[in-house]
Amino acid sequence: MLWAGRLARWGNRLITLAAGLLLGALALYGAWSLWDIAATRRAALPGETLRFKPLADAPEASPGFAELRALNPDVCGWLTLDGTRIDFPVVQGADNMVYVNTDVYGDFSLSGAIFLDTRCATDFTAPYSIVYGHHIEDGGMFGDIAQFTGDDYFAAHTTGTLVTDDAAYSITLFACVQADAYDPVLYDPGSDPAALLDYIRAHAVQYRTPGSGPVVAFSTCTEAATNGRVLLFGQLLPQT
C-alpha cells in the first residue's frame, strides 16, 4: 500500500503542475491577445503617419510626403475625410491582396493599409476609383465609414480632401450604399459613369444629389454579414 500512496502523491503533484502550467499559458495568451488588440488599434489610427501629411496647396513641395514616398513608392495619395478619424496615406499594390495585412511602411499588420484598387489609375483621374480599408473597432482605418449609414452622421459629414503627387482634390460626399462584396457594378472600376450613378442612387441608404466629376468609392466590411460591405461615395473636384 506504501507504493500506492506514493503514486497518489506523485499523481497529485503532476496534476497540480499541469494545472499551473495551463493557467500560466492561458495568462500569457491573454496578455498577448490584449497587447495584439491594442497594437492593432494603434496602428489603425493616424498616429505617427500624420507627420508625412502633404500640404493640400503644394503637394509636390511637401517634404513629409516626399519622405513617405521614398520609404514606400506604392504611396499614391493622402485621404482625409473631414470630421472623421480617416486621415491616411493611400497605397496601391501589385494586386489587391498586398495591403490587406501590410502597413504603409511595408511591414506585417493586421490592420493593413488604405489602398487603391490595382485596376484604377494611380492619379485618380479615371471616371471611377475604388479605395479599400479594414473596418477596425473604435474607428480605426475605415471604421468610421459604417457610421455614414446613419441620417445624422451622413448629414454632418459632407467633405474631404485627396492629395496626390502633384494635385489636390476636394471631395464632396454624396451617397452611402450597403452592398455585397461581389457586387458587379460597384466593384467594377470600368463601370459606365452614368449607369454607375443611377445604380448608386437606386441602392443608396443615404443620398444627396451629386455634382459632376470623377467618382471615388471608399469601401469597408461590415460585421452584419460575411460578405457585407459599406461603400461611401464622393466626387472629386480639383482645387485651384
Side-chain angles (χ1 to χ4, degrees), residues 59-228:
E60 71 284 352
S62 299
F65 197 43
E67 182 182 352
L68 183 58
R69 287 293 309 274
L71 290 172
N72 185 356
D74 285 347
V75 173
C76 59
W78 193 288
L79 171 67
T80 304
L81 296 186
D82 299 329
T84 76
R85 287 164 286 193
I86 298 171
D87 204 359
F88 293 102
V90 181
V91 293
Q92 186 183 52
D95 60 62
N96 285 338
M97 295 304 296
V98 173
Y99 286 100
V100 171
N101 291 127
T102 302
D103 67 17
V104 69
Y105 305 108
D107 299 323
F108 173 78
S109 171
L110 290 175
S111 56
I114 303 301
F115 63 95
L116 174 66
D117 193 299
T118 190
R119 298 168 292 176
C120 297
T122 309
D123 59 2
F124 290 88
T125 56
Y128 182 40
S129 303
I130 308 171
V131 179
Y132 304 92
H134 283 306
H135 176 103
I136 304 294
E137 290 300 322
D138 300 332
M141 301 308 282
F142 270 3
D144 283 343
I145 295 294
Q147 297 193 65
F148 281 87
T149 60
D151 295 347
D152 293 341
Y153 198 90
F154 183 77
H157 299 81
T158 61
T159 59
T161 305
L162 177 67
V163 180
T164 65
D165 254 357
D166 53 8
Y169 301 90
S170 295
I171 304 172
T172 301
L173 303 173
F174 70 91
C176 185
V177 176
Q178 292 177 301
D180 184 88
Y182 301 101
D183 189 293
V185 176
L186 300 181
Y187 287 103
D188 179 7
S191 291
D192 175 75
L196 173 67
L197 289 174
D198 289 342
Y199 190 86
I200 291 171
R201 181 170 186 174
H203 293 82
V205 295
Q206 299 292 342
Y207 186 81
R208 287 184 284 264
T209 302
S212 59
V215 175
V216 58
F218 309 112
S219 172
T220 193
C221 57
T222 175
E223 296 177 347
T226 301
N227 293 319

